[in-house]
Amino acid sequence: MMYALLNFRVRGNHDGKLIALEKGDDFPFEIKRVYYIWDTAHDVVRGKHAHRNLEQVIICTSGSCDFILDNGQEKVTVHLDNPTQGLYIPGNTWREFTNFSADCVIMVLASEHYAESDYIRDYDTFLKEIAA
Ligand code: TYD
């Protein structure tokens, strides 16, 4: 599986909306790290790496952007523009993200603490590792 789109349960009424995420039926892992990205120019391409073991759920909490995912055999583009959806990305998936709207805020929920050793930042190395 290269990715999954998770649909989160919204607790909403006329006062507004709320989504709560914790490990369980709706969410695939224990969250160890959260980071968020904003103020990114429209044409910038971020990412350009894979993780060996890290699992992530990406939520576009505001605005929109495109994630291009690549497992070495096929590429898919996933457009994110809805805070009720989470893009689950398993390990060994090359990702690039771009086409940021001016109001785009991306929140990333990660299964592990930050570890540079978990990154594959070179595409040819990525292809070699997944073929091994
Ligand atoms: P990087 O993951 O390369 O950003 P992106 O994939 O969004 O383009 O990270 C950018 C910088 O931030 C890099 O120097 C590493 C640092 N960083 C941390 O220190 N902790 C973190 O949890 C993350 C995700 C990045």
Side-chain angles (χ1 to χ4, degrees):
M1 184 230 315
M2 190 159 31
Y3 74 95
L5 262 184
L6 312 177
N7 289 300
F8 302 130
R9 176 179 161 206
V10 181
R11 300 156 195 269
N13 58 26
H14 54 272
D15 291 333
K17 296 188 171 60
L18 180 153
I19 290 172
L21 301 173
E22 56 182 279
K23 188 185 175 196
D25 291 342
D26 292 346
F27 199 83
F29 54 78
E30 196 93 50
I31 299 161
K32 289 202 182 151
R33 177 165 55 107
V34 177
Y35 60 93
Y36 37 100
I37 297 166
W38 76 103
D39 202 15
T40 309
H42 181 266
D43 292 334
V44 165
V45 180
R46 297 192 62 124
K48 297 191 220 167
H49 64 252
H51 289 281
R52 293 187 170 92
N53 296 308
L54 188 73
E55 297 173 274
Q56 292 172 308
V57 170
I58 320 278
I59 302 165
C60 195
T61 58
S62 165
S64 63
C65 67
D66 287 337
F67 269 73
I68 301 142
L69 305 177
D70 177 350
N71 64 1
Q73 290 175 338
E74 56 171 333
K75 273 189 193 188
V76 293
T77 299
V78 182
H79 182 69
L80 293 182
D81 62 1
N82 185 340
T84 70
Q85 288 193 318
L87 172 62
Y88 170 78
I89 308 180
N92 288 321
T93 308
W94 188 266
R95 85 287 312 274
E96 300 184 358
F97 43 114
T98 188
N99 290 339
F100 300 95
S101 65
D103 57 348
C104 181
V105 181
I106 299 167
M107 183 167 68
V108 183
L109 311 178
S111 64
E112 300 296 338
H113 296 289
Y114 177 75
E116 187 57 37
S117 60
D118 187 65
Y119 279 73
I120 310 171
R121 293 194 182 273
D122 174 69
Y123 189 70
D124 288 337
T125 306
F126 165 68
L127 292 180
K128 278 184 197 142
E129 285 202 20
I130 56 172

